[in-house]
Amino acid sequence: MLGERGEEVELREGISESPPVSSRRHKMSYGSTSSSGPVHVQEMEGNEDTPLLSNAVLGPPAESGEEEAAASRTAWEQLRALVSREPVLKSRRVPFNPESVQGSGFEQDSYPLNVIRNQKYSAFSFFPVALLMQFKSFINLFYLLVSISQLFDILKVGFLFTYIAPLIFVVAITMAKEGYDDYSRYRRDKEVNSQRYERLTANGFEPLPASDMKVGHFIRIKVNQRVPADMVLLRTTEDSGASFIRTDQLDGETDWKLRRAYAKTQQLERDEDLLRLQGEVFAEKPRKDIYNFIGTVQLSGHAVDSISLENTMWGNTVLASGTVIGLVVYTGRETRSVLNTSQPASKKGTLDREINWLAMMLGVLLVFLSIGMVAGNLFHGLWLVDGLRYIILFSFIVPISMSVNLDMAKLVYVWFMMNDNKIRGTIVRNTGLPEELGRISYLMSDKTGTLTQNDMIFKKLHLGQLSFSPDALDEVAGYLKHDASSSEGKVRRQLPRKVREAITALAVCHNVTPVNEVDEETGEQSRVYQASSPDEIALVKFTETVGVTLTDRTFQEITLTNADGRIEKYEVLNIFPFTSSKKRMGIIVRDLQTNEILFLMKGADVVMQQIVQYSDWLEEECTNLAREGLRTLCFGRKVLSEAEYADFARRYHDAEVSLVDREKRVEEAEISLEENLELIGLSGVEDKLQKNVRTTLEKLRHAGVKIWMLTGDKIETATCVARSAKLVSRSQSIHTMVVKNAREAKEHLDEFAQIQSNTVLVIDGTSLQICLDHWKEEFFQSTKNAPSVACCRCSPTQKAEIVKLIRQFTKKQTAAIGDGGNDVSMIQAADVGIGIEGKEGKQASMAADFSIMQFSFVARLLLWHGRNSYHRSAILSQFIIHRGMLITFVQIVFSAMYYWSSVAMFTGIMLFGYSTFYTSLPIFALVLDEDVSEENAFMYPELYEQLQKGRALSSKTFMLWCFQTAYQAAVVTLSPVFIYQYDITLQHFGAFVFTALVLVELINVAFEMQSWTFLEWRTWRVPMVMSEVITLAISLPSIVIFYGSFDIVFVSLPSFWINVSLVTLACVLPVYFAKLIRRRFNPPAWTKV
């Protein structure tokens, strides 16, 4: 209770004396709270003479080297930072009541506004900036220069509308899409920034939008509300002093995390007492690391207390339990979520690069054609001006509508993927890469959660003398009951004691929390376990089946119900969470039944073998379990005396409050505790294969996709999974590579190079690193043709490096698939990243280009959607190029016929209509084409192998289109000369050629449908027929509308249409028969099925 004004009042006692837990990364951790005595609170009113903050309570010193680093910056560096407006990130001391503190030097307004802004433009900058971005494209810039040239009479070859209209159309569509996307971002930002919260003030709780929050505000957050800024948790309504938060939108992990309130503020009687505190919170400078935090709290008259990650709530997380009050320490762009919001390197598809190359070749061809025309006229007169006019006349050879057509086509492909009922839940996050799925040569896959379900089932417990499987649960329960019935835990037999110690270690050494959930329909309550690791849940469920149940868990205490139905309580003194670098976790508890202090640890066998006391059976049994495909964990135990623990607690606390090398000092203290650790036992859990993994891998293997399994498991486990998943076919053998030096590695690589075509390589992480350090090129030359490779004990960095090196040495398309945060770097390094929404969260899914629900969806994604996307875009892009070349070649023939004149053959409306309403619909209908049926695509996956070679769009196909274009242009242009014997006006000539040109293109595009025959009719042919009919329906009335371009009397003559029809047939029939002959003697693979 608070006393009268100005009096210091002592808060209730009972704060634990134990040091706080480590600030290192953990998923869900518990620990005790540090305190050095009672907390004193002082009223702020009536004490103006005494500043609340003085030098005595300013907390820790400034970060080492910060001032020296600032002083050493050169004037140039300071000027560059000023010009670039790079944010300066600094540590801070946040007083509990900054608005009432005089002379503290704390300025709330010096920190960023707490607003989220994902917009690329403002209302004023959109038009100029977005417009400028459009002309970074070569094609758009080229047409802009061509349009500008028409303002000069000497270069004018037609109406300005002819050239500016297509440019405006393309730019307008692209800018409209950009504007819509940015407006959508603006609306989402506005919704988030305007969310209402409650701020604690002298007048009670007042409503406050998220955008108005400042550093130093006390903010109340209710259950299921988003945390609007980075905060230090001060109070919670939960009795345990801790609340759950959901972090899936920050780190992608779906498990709930426990966060504890700072003990001294949690024990205040009322929320309003926070306004009377004297003191401050020290927070390190903002950084991206969401798994660590270094800070301290200092209250007047008290020693410094350290706070760590478990005392924080990062912005963009969601409160899952209770109502809390937090102190804002970081806002806006300094929050962890914003600092980690960075766009990954943009991926550009191989097809896009190939099309850009073709566009440049067309630009070069345009220049050479113009030079050739000038040379044909023997450089007569103003040949330089004529050359520029020719460039303008022939500019339609550069396809301005290519990007718009391809972007629209990709949206169609994306729609097909996301609405495919056979791969429900698929999300396309990068709409620019659908075609890349059709050319994958290497697939890099994680194992756990990707090939397997990440749903662990207990299979074996090995204690050295005995081994227990699920069939022997009754035997284990019998040992436990015998032990539980012994008075005061004393037993006469050794075996029951060992079983009891092992089960206790499994039931206590973890980060699992039991949560009671209520079924909304039935109202029944059930216990579920929350943890970041499925392994831990599997082991806790196992202890429950043998009679030892985890019934409650708080930061301070673990409660078990033993096999005899009695309650056992363990006080949590310290916990050392699992990290990917340590590969182990530990906990110190006090058995409240015996007052014994226990240090328990579990971890990967490769690490624990170096820590626990020597055992002659551990390594052998680890290998045996791995051969069975089980994931193993070793458990160790150590009894600590009161003096030993007191000494450790002192050293650990000193390390915890250190602001210099805190993590290193904490780790050193932990390692000192690991000496003489007694081996308890070894557990094995099974991770079952995902549904249809075997058939999927078999199809991909037949499709010519080489699969690399990159896993952190042991060689024996990976080998077992590779066999069971059919990563290794019956006719293939396995070559295991475990070496200790570069010489052995070279010998193995030379040996494997001779047998790689029918052998699967299994290599461990150490051997892999030796190969990458000494024989990088030799390694990939030896393995590039292997059907499969399994890399074991791989770190996330090694995974990403392997992907990059495969791309570098093979020049082939790669895809990477995974389900966890440790797969993100691999996913982003591949040409195509595929994420699975799994039990490890959404981080991989959110970072990927394509998100799927299970591994088996990959086959349909590649063999069907990838195939169709690549095939359709290749045909579409080449036909658009052909369309531009055809009308350009017609203009070339016309100019050559009429004395090398640089005069336009067609009117502006003809040119505009040719590339829009006369041909666009049938051409775009190509995005619905199928070269093989869905049934054949999966029945004969070998067809996919043809796409990997990229033959659908190549220099060869480009040249074939050039020959076809040149032939058709010559026929369609020269025919009227022979038919009418020069007795034809320019208007009639243009009308005849243009009409024939449009009909030729409509028939050409129909013939491009891969399986179009008179005997075959498919659903996708309907849009093609409809587009042809609609186009003809538009074309015929346009003759009347555009009478200035067409002489109605001339085009109404029957002889006109007879001649046009004959010329059209002369253009398309030889080309069609040539393709039939070519297909007869060199048929594509899909025609053979």
Side-chain angles (χ1 to χ4, degrees):
M1 298 290 292
L2 292 172
E4 298 298 326
R5 182 181 303 171
E7 295 181 353
E8 294 187 345
V9 184
E10 191 172 283
L11 297 181
R12 64 180 183 271
E13 301 287 338
I15 305 176
S16 171
E17 295 291 331
S18 305
V21 301
S22 167
S23 65
R24 285 176 295 168
R25 174 182 177 179
H26 55 290
K27 305 297 177 88
M28 183 182 296
S29 60
Y30 309 81
S32 56
T33 307
S34 156
S35 175
S36 52
V39 185
H40 294 274
V41 183
Q42 190 169 11
E43 294 274 8
M44 292 195 296
E45 292 184 80
N47 290 290
E48 298 177 359
D49 296 333
T50 306
L52 295 181
L53 287 180
S54 64
N55 292 333
V57 293
L58 281 180
E63 291 185 340
S64 177
E66 223 175 65
E67 296 180 0
E68 292 82 349
S72 65
R73 294 171 64 190
T74 64
W76 169 251
E77 290 172 332
Q78 295 179 31
L79 178 62
R80 184 173 60 181
L82 181 63
V83 172
S84 63
R85 294 186 176 182
E86 294 177 356
V88 179
L89 304 178
K90 295 182 179 180
S91 59
R92 63 208 57 196
R93 298 183 180 89
V94 184
F96 278 104
N97 294 282
E99 292 149 344
S100 303
V101 178
Q102 304 293 328
S104 67
F106 177 78
E107 298 180 4
Q108 281 184 314
D109 294 335
S110 65
Y111 298 103
L113 297 175
N114 192 47
V115 294
I116 293 177
R117 179 179 171 83
N118 293 307
Q119 292 172 254
K120 296 169 64 176
Y121 313 99
S122 67
F124 300 101
S125 67
F126 170 73
F127 187 79
V129 175
L131 186 63
L132 181 64
M133 294 296 292
Q134 298 306 308
F135 294 105
K136 284 189 172 183
S137 164
F138 164 74
I139 295 179
N140 289 351
L141 181 61
F142 172 77
Y143 270 87
L144 176 64
L145 295 176
V146 168
S147 301
I148 292 174
S149 71
Q150 297 307 288
L151 299 175
F152 303 94
D153 291 338
I154 195 171
L155 297 177
K156 192 170 184 179
V157 296
F159 293 105
L160 177 63
F161 172 82
T162 306
Y163 300 93
I164 198 68
L167 178 64
I168 292 175
F169 176 75
V170 170
V171 170
I173 288 180
T174 309
M175 288 185 64
K177 179 179 180 297
E178 187 78 4
Y180 176 78
D181 291 343
D182 205 53
Y183 180 68
S184 299
R185 287 190 287 266
Y186 163 76
R187 293 184 61 182
R188 290 194 296 268
D189 291 347
K190 184 178 180 180
E191 181 181 352
V192 172
N193 292 329
S194 60
Q195 288 178 349
R196 309 289 287 185
Y197 296 86
E198 293 178 319
R199 178 194 170 199
L200 178 62
T201 67
N203 298 321
F205 286 98
E206 297 181 350
L208 184 76
S211 57
D212 290 345
M213 290 181 188
K214 296 181 179 180
V215 173
H217 282 176
F218 292 122
I219 302 298
R220 181 162 69 180
I221 303 174
K222 298 179 180 179
V223 66
N224 291 326
Q225 272 192 311
R226 182 185 70 90
V227 179
D230 289 357
M231 302 181 180
V232 171
L233 180 57
L234 300 179
R235 291 177 61 78
T236 175
T237 56
E238 297 290 286
D239 295 335
S240 62
S243 288
F244 282 108
I245 62 171
R246 298 197 299 268
T247 63
D248 55 307
Q249 295 303 313
L250 181 65
D251 59 13
E253 297 174 354
T254 55
D255 60 294
W256 292 4
K257 313 294 192 307
L258 266 175
R259 294 293 184 261
R260 62 170 182 166
Y262 175 60
K264 292 176 182 176
T265 51
Q266 174 66 19
Q267 294 187 10
L268 294 171
E269 291 290 341
R270 300 178 303 164
D271 296 337
E272 290 76 8
D273 294 345
L274 290 170
L275 300 173
R276 302 179 177 87
L277 287 177
Q278 293 186 72
E280 68 173 6
V281 172
F282 169 81
E284 63 177 341
K285 67 179 181 181
R287 54 174 172 160
K288 291 184 177 182
D289 188 355
I290 63 175
Y291 302 112
N292 290 288
F293 174 72
I294 296 177
T296 60
V297 178
Q298 187 166 32
L299 298 177
S300 178
H302 291 271
V304 177
D305 290 329
S306 71
I307 54 176
S308 61
L309 175 69
E310 61 187 11
N311 305 113
T312 63
M313 298 188 301
W314 297 144
N316 213 32
T317 59
V318 177
L319 184 65
S321 66
T323 298
V324 303
I325 296 178
L327 176 69
V328 177
V329 291
Y330 305 123
T331 55
R333 65 172 182 266
E334 293 185 342
T335 60
R336 292 298 206 266
S337 61
V338 175
L339 288 173
N340 280 278
T341 304
S342 59
Q343 295 295 330
S346 59
K347 296 180 180 180
K348 192 167 186 176
T350 304
L351 184 75
D352 293 331
R353 291 194 294 269
E354 290 171 346
I355 291 173
N356 285 340
W357 178 84
L358 288 178
M360 289 189 290
M361 292 301 100
L362 290 172
V364 173
L365 179 61
L366 172 62
V367 173
F368 277 105
L369 288 173
S370 301
I371 294 174
M373 295 299 290
V374 174
N377 199 25
L378 303 177
F379 296 95
H380 182 73
L382 299 175
W383 62 269
L384 185 58
V385 173
D386 288 337
L388 292 176
R389 289 172 61 87
Y390 281 128
I391 288 177
I392 297 167
L393 274 176
F394 304 158
S395 60
F396 276 88
I397 199 173
V398 179
I400 188 173
S401 62
M402 176 73 80
S403 60
V404 172
N405 278 276
L406 284 179
D407 287 344
M408 293 175 64
K410 289 175 181 179
L411 293 178
V412 174
Y413 309 152
V414 167
W415 187 89
F416 282 140
M417 293 179 191
M418 296 179 64
N419 289 274
D420 188 340
N421 291 330
K422 295 181 180 178
I423 50 172
R424 289 182 182 274
T426 298
I427 299 174
V428 180
R429 304 190 188 278
N430 188 339
T431 58
L433 299 177
E435 302 93 347
E436 300 308 296
L437 292 170
R439 302 175 67 175
I440 301 300
S441 296
Y442 290 87
L443 177 66
M444 272 63 68
S445 174
D446 177 40
K447 182 184 75 68
T448 304
T450 303
L451 297 178
T452 61
Q453 297 179 15
N454 203 12
D455 186 7
M456 308 301 174
I457 301 174
F458 171 82
K459 285 296 181 181
K460 192 161 290 187
L461 177 65
H462 203 290
L463 305 181
Q465 297 176 343
L466 282 179
S467 177
F468 298 100
S469 63
D471 298 333
L473 297 183
D474 293 339
E475 186 179 353
V476 177
Y479 284 123
L480 294 176
K481 288 181 180 179
H482 179 277
D483 183 67
S485 63
S486 302
S487 62
E488 298 181 0
K490 295 180 180 179
V491 295
R492 297 180 180 179
R493 297 179 59 190
Q494 186 76 3
L495 189 56
R497 184 184 66 81
K498 284 192 173 184
V499 174
R500 174 62 186 175
E501 289 177 352
I503 297 301
T504 300
L506 267 62
V508 173
C509 186
H510 53 70
N511 277 322
V512 180
T513 300
V515 178
N516 292 322
E517 290 188 351
V518 179
D519 191 300
E520 295 181 358
E521 296 181 358
T522 63
E524 295 181 358
Q525 196 174 66
S526 60
R527 180 189 294 113
V528 296
Y529 295 112
Q530 284 285 345
S532 59
S533 170
D535 299 67
E536 292 192 324
I537 294 178
L539 295 178
V540 170
K541 286 182 176 180
F542 162 68
T543 64
E544 183 178 1
T545 59
V546 297
V548 179
T549 304
L550 176 66
T551 55
D552 192 24
R553 174 100 186 229
T554 66
F555 276 117
Q556 293 81 24
E557 198 170 75
I558 295 175
T559 303
L560 304 178
T561 302
N562 66 21
D564 201 31
R566 291 185 297 177
I567 300 298
E568 296 181 9
K569 292 183 178 292
Y570 295 85
E571 179 187 358
V572 178
L573 302 178
N574 297 90
I575 192 166
F576 316 112
F578 175 89
T579 65
S580 56
S581 58
K582 291 193 312 179
K583 298 183 185 295
R584 60 191 184 277
M585 68 87 63
I587 188 171
I588 301 178
V589 296
R590 184 189 298 274
D591 186 341
L592 296 181
Q593 288 68 237
T594 63
N595 208 38
E596 190 177 47
I597 299 177
L598 299 175
F599 171 50
L600 302 173
M601 175 170 280
K602 69 178 179 184
D605 58 280
V606 68
V607 175
M608 295 294 288
Q609 286 178 23
Q610 311 300 321
I611 297 175
V612 297
Q613 297 173 355
Y614 174 75
S615 171
D616 57 358
W617 58 267
L618 177 59
E619 184 174 357
E620 180 182 355
E621 291 304 327
C622 286
T623 303
N624 292 336
L625 293 181
R627 287 197 184 101
E628 298 177 29
L630 303 182
R631 292 162 60 94
T632 56
L633 283 175
C634 290
F635 288 81
R637 180 178 184 271
K638 183 178 180 180
V639 179
L640 302 177
S641 66
E642 293 289 345
E644 287 175 328
Y645 177 70
D647 176 64
F648 166 78
R650 176 187 56 78
R651 290 184 287 108
Y652 193 71
H653 177 68
D654 292 343
E656 281 269 288
V657 298
S658 171
L659 294 178
V660 180
D661 294 330
R662 176 188 287 190
E663 295 180 16
K664 181 180 178 182
R665 294 182 62 182
V666 166
E667 185 175 1
E668 290 174 350
E670 289 180 15
I671 292 175
S672 67
L673 196 64
E674 297 172 355
E675 297 178 0
N676 299 319
L677 199 65
E678 176 190 356
L679 175 63
I680 299 177
L682 181 68
S683 68
V685 295
E686 180 187 30
D687 190 3
K688 290 186 176 180
L689 291 175
Q690 283 202 17
K691 184 181 179 181
N692 298 326
V693 162
R694 294 183 180 92
T695 56
T696 301
L697 290 175
E698 189 172 2
K699 286 178 182 177
L700 293 176
R701 190 169 62 247
H702 287 304
V705 179
K706 297 172 178 60
I707 300 163
W708 287 48
M709 183 174 70
L710 312 179
T711 176
D713 279 337
K714 295 181 290 298
I715 279 185
E716 293 81 6
T717 306
T719 303
C720 181
V721 171
R723 289 189 182 278
S724 62
K726 301 299 183 184
L727 202 60
V728 183
S729 68
R730 294 180 179 178
S731 61
Q732 294 169 351
S733 58
I734 293 180
H735 181 89
T736 302
M737 183 173 174
V738 180
V739 298
K740 297 180 180 179
N741 53 58
R743 182 182 58 80
E744 292 182 14
K746 186 63 168 65
E747 292 174 355
H748 272 271
L749 291 176
D750 292 339
E751 179 184 352
F752 185 74
Q754 306 299 321
I755 57 174
Q756 61 171 310
S757 61
N758 201 40
T759 306
V760 174
L761 176 67
V762 178
I763 182 172
D764 72 331
T766 303
S767 304
L768 175 64
Q769 196 59 49
I770 292 173
C771 292
L772 296 181
D773 290 341
H774 299 279
W775 310 107
K776 186 179 297 182
E777 184 173 355
E778 289 80 358
F779 175 74
F780 287 99
Q781 290 298 328
S782 299
T783 58
K784 68 179 183 179
N785 292 322
S788 299
V789 176
C791 299
C792 312
R793 297 298 191 190
C794 261
S795 66
T797 304
Q798 281 181 321
K799 290 182 179 182
E801 186 177 4
I802 289 171
V803 174
K804 293 175 182 176
L805 291 173
I806 288 177
R807 294 178 61 189
Q808 175 185 339
F809 285 103
T810 66
K811 308 299 181 185
K812 301 289 187 180
Q813 297 299 104
T814 61
I817 181 170
D819 73 315
N822 61 336
D823 301 317
V824 169
S825 56
M826 171 181 71
I827 287 172
Q828 293 182 339
D831 294 294
V832 177
I834 305 173
I836 296 178
E837 287 193 21
K839 297 192 175 182
E840 292 187 26
K842 299 180 180 179
Q843 195 168 359
S845 168
M846 295 171 68
D849 304 305
F850 300 87
S851 171
I852 58 178
M853 301 305 295
Q854 61 187 56
F855 181 82
S856 61
F857 289 0
V858 172
R860 188 169 182 82
L861 207 60
L862 269 60
L863 303 185
W864 180 241
H865 290 290
R867 176 188 190 84
N868 287 336
S869 299
Y870 173 59
H871 158 72
R872 292 164 176 172
S873 285
I875 296 296
L876 176 66
S877 58
Q878 290 179 111
F879 201 89
I880 292 174
I881 291 173
H882 159 75
R883 180 180 63 182
M885 284 197 302
L886 184 58
I887 198 168
T888 300
F889 282 18
V890 167
Q891 177 67 54
I892 291 172
V893 175
F894 172 79
S895 296
M897 286 170 50
Y898 287 90
Y899 311 104
W900 310 98
S901 61
S902 55
V903 177
M905 178 180 177
F906 303 111
T907 62
I909 194 63
M910 284 180 168
L911 292 173
F912 177 71
Y914 175 75
S915 59
T916 54
F917 48 83
Y918 286 137
T919 57
S920 289
L921 276 179
I923 290 178
F924 193 72
L926 289 172
V927 303
L928 303 177
D929 188 26
E930 297 173 4
D931 63 337
V932 297
S933 66
E934 180 178 336
E935 180 183 0
N936 285 336
F938 293 106
M939 187 178 296
Y940 305 102
E942 293 83 1
L943 293 172
Y944 183 85
E945 197 168 359
Q946 301 297 317
L947 302 180
Q948 297 169 344
K949 302 172 184 178
R951 293 176 178 174
L953 178 63
S954 62
S955 301
K956 180 181 178 181
T957 59
F958 177 70
M959 292 306 300
L960 290 175
W961 277 108
C962 287
F963 290 138
Q964 176 181 337
T965 302
Y967 166 75
Q968 292 180 335
V971 172
V972 82
T973 311
L974 296 174
S975 293
V977 177
F978 290 104
I979 293 172
Y980 295 101
Q981 297 296 319
Y982 289 96
D983 185 19
I984 187 172
T985 64
L986 181 60
Q987 184 188 33
H988 292 172
F989 186 86
F992 185 96
V993 172
F994 185 79
T995 305
L997 199 62
V998 171
L999 292 177
V1000 167
E1001 282 298 82
L1002 293 180
I1003 297 175
N1004 279 338
V1005 73
F1007 283 164
E1008 284 307 310
M1009 302 297 279
Q1010 290 293 322
S1011 55
W1012 183 287
T1013 68
F1014 294 107
L1015 300 177
E1016 185 173 7
W1017 188 267
R1018 291 186 186 174
T1019 305
W1020 297 124
R1021 302 299 169 265
V1022 176
M1024 173 58 74
V1025 173
M1026 290 181 62
S1027 66
E1028 297 267 356
V1029 172
I1030 292 172
T1031 301
L1032 289 174
I1034 293 173
S1035 302
L1036 294 176
S1038 69
I1039 294 176
V1040 179
I1041 297 173
F1042 305 129
Y1043 57 87
S1045 301
F1046 299 91
D1047 183 348
I1048 299 178
V1049 176
F1050 177 69
V1051 300
S1052 300
L1053 296 173
S1055 60
F1056 171 83
W1057 290 104
I1058 293 173
N1059 291 331
V1060 166
S1061 300
L1062 291 174
V1063 170
T1064 301
L1065 291 175
C1067 287
V1068 297
L1069 286 180
V1071 172
Y1072 179 70
F1073 286 122
K1075 289 184 177 180
L1076 285 180
I1077 294 171
R1078 181 168 173 263
R1079 183 173 296 179
R1080 174 74 175 176
F1081 292 100
N1082 186 24
W1086 58 266
T1087 62
K1088 302 174 184 178
V1089 298

